[in-house]
Amino acid sequence: MRERKSVKFNFELQQHQNGHFPPFKVEKLFDPAAAWDKDQLGDVLHWIRQALALVCGLLWGAIPLVGGIWFLLFLLLSSGIIYAYYALVLKIDEEDFGGHGALLQDGLFASISLFLLVWILNADMFSLENTRFYFSVYFPSNCDFPHSNW
Amino acid sequence: MSSTLFSSMKYSDSLTVVGISICTAIVCEAISWLLIYRTSSYKSLKSTIDKASKKLETMKTTDPSTATLVKKSKTKKIDRVESSLKESSRDLSMFKFKSGGVVALVLFVVFGLLNSLFEGKPVAKIPFVPIKLVQKMSHRGLSGDDMTDCSMAFLYFLCSISIRTNLQKFLGFSPPRGAAGAGLFPMPDPKSN
């Protein structure tokens, strides 16, 4: 299976050298038999990481989760999902794409920044102080909320 | 009512920083497109680098069980392609550097403006205590011992990396994968900054 994918990978590489780019289809994202170009796969992994960063940032901030451990959890979770995607869903031979390091690093730094940004903004939005303000606007009498101190 | 609501939120400044970062990113990419990306020199250099890196990949992934003589000539070919790739990458960097001065000026002005607006003022709260190295930026210019206070510089840094990298990727302006400098932490294209 891996030999067949390597042959397919080399064929696609030659096609790209000649300037032929097969159109990208959504079904390819879940097809373990599909052959991938390095750039296409890199782009897909990059955007998956950004989506994970956005979702985790929104979730972590909305709960809100506080503490450095949740940052580490995000790193493990996003890397784990990326690995599971290319190794188990796509069944990629990582040697054809520069190894696990190259695949896992695609979009990593941008996703860390995006996650931190969204987490910080969302946590501020949902902080108890802001919730207290909103509550007091609509229910002006006798509301008592504990202050949020990280 | 809505202005009171907005101004009363303790960290509404963070939204201002993000908003300005988004506008700056769009303006910078527009300038980069005008001065760099639409030129024929850039397009031809990028195409050269793409072709060379793909050629290099093909040469490196072919059957390893070849005769020694064929292997030696293959190694020489690979070296030639690699040095041509490095040369093209260097030319691309030089080309972008010359045109990137305008973008750098815009970024400098925007950072100065933000600094004058938010100096010494925390614009957000970080939901964890950052490591000492990060605190130098996250607590830059702020008084007090609360290391979860976030300075404008750190928030702007996060915005720059996340928004500009993704915008460049979305618009197709990110540097070719074969070009030098796309390491573990690829930053938004520095020569267009």
Side-chain angles (χ1 to χ4, degrees), chain B:
Chain B
M1 169 75 172
S2 57
S3 61
T4 319
L5 200 74
F6 188 78
S7 61
S8 298
M9 283 164 59
K10 192 177 179 183
Y11 296 111
S12 60
D13 294 337
S14 57
L15 296 178
T16 310
V17 174
V18 173
I20 291 174
S21 294
I22 291 171
C23 295
T24 309
I26 292 170
V27 166
C28 287
E29 287 312 303
I31 293 172
S32 298
W33 178 79
L34 268 167
L35 297 179
I36 303 170
Y37 301 128
R38 67 174 187 153
T39 61
S40 51
S41 321
Y42 172 80
K43 284 177 185 170
S44 71
L45 273 171
K46 190 176 176 206
S47 157
T48 308
I49 290 172
D50 278 338
K51 282 183 183 156
S53 54
K54 295 223 180 329
K55 194 177 183 183
L56 203 63
E57 272 178 50
T58 324
M59 287 165 90
K60 282 182 176 176
T61 54
T62 47
D63 188 3
S65 60
T66 49
T68 318
L69 204 63
V70 176
K71 238 186 185 173
K72 272 188 181 169
S73 71
K74 198 116 207 166
T75 315
K76 275 188 180 171
K77 264 188 179 173
I78 288 174
D79 286 342
R80 251 203 313 272
V81 174
E82 267 179 356
S83 55
S84 130
L85 180 64
K86 278 183 190 160
E87 224 177 274
S88 302
S89 300
R90 202 173 41 237
D91 291 343
L92 187 70
S93 294
M94 281 307 297
F95 177 74
K96 284 179 168 180
F97 183 77
K98 289 174 199 169
S99 310
V102 177
V103 175
L105 184 68
V106 169
L107 289 171
F108 185 74
V109 166
V110 169
F111 186 79
L113 170 74
L114 285 172
N115 210 33
S116 65
L117 287 173
F118 299 112
E119 195 174 5
K121 216 171 137 186
V123 295
K125 251 325 195 182
I126 305 172
F128 59 93
V129 177
I131 56 172
K132 284 265 185 285
L133 196 63
V134 176
Q135 280 175 20
K136 288 188 195 305
M137 189 191 286
S138 68
H139 209 254
R140 183 175 169 272
L142 300 179
S143 55
D145 291 331
D146 187 356
M147 291 301 154
T148 60
D149 281 339
C150 181
S151 69
M152 178 281 300
F154 185 62
L155 197 69
Y156 184 66
F157 171 74
L158 292 178
C159 290
S160 291
I161 302 297
S162 54
I163 295 169
R164 290 209 340 260
T165 306
N166 287 313
L167 188 64
Q168 280 178 358
K169 193 89 180 174
F170 181 72
L171 296 172
F173 295 159
S174 42
R177 273 201 168 74
L184 186 62
F185 294 118
M187 307 283 278
D189 200 4
K191 295 299 180 286
S192 66
N193 298 340

Side-chain angles (χ1 to χ4, degrees), chain A residues 40-85:
Chain A
Q40 265 186 349
L41 181 64
D43 288 346
V44 165
L45 295 181
H46 172 96
W47 289 116
I48 291 174
R49 270 213 191 262
Q50 306 317 303
L52 286 170
L54 193 64
V55 167
C56 290
L58 289 171
L59 207 61
W60 271 220
I63 293 170
L65 296 174
V66 169
I69 191 82
W70 300 109
F71 173 70
L72 294 173
L73 185 74
F74 160 73
L75 284 179
L76 285 171
L77 189 69
S78 70
S79 299
I81 288 173
I82 293 290
Y83 172 78
Y85 177 68

Side-chain angles (χ1 to χ4, degrees), chain A residues 65-128:
Chain A
L65 296 174
V66 169
I69 191 82
W70 300 109
F71 173 70
L72 294 173
L73 185 74
F74 160 73
L75 284 179
L76 285 171
L77 189 69
S78 70
S79 299
I81 288 173
I82 293 290
Y83 172 78
Y85 177 68
Y86 73 72
L88 304 177
V89 175
L90 296 183
K91 294 184 171 53
I92 291 284
D93 181 3
E94 67 279 354
E95 282 166 21
D96 288 337
F97 297 93
H100 289 295
L103 289 170
L104 289 172
Q105 74 160 33
D106 257 314
L108 177 65
F109 198 42
S111 74
I112 289 173
S113 309
L114 183 63
F115 165 73
L116 285 175
L117 180 68
V118 175
W119 187 17
I120 289 170
L121 291 177
N122 220 30
D124 285 352
M125 283 291 187
F126 283 93
S127 71
L128 288 177

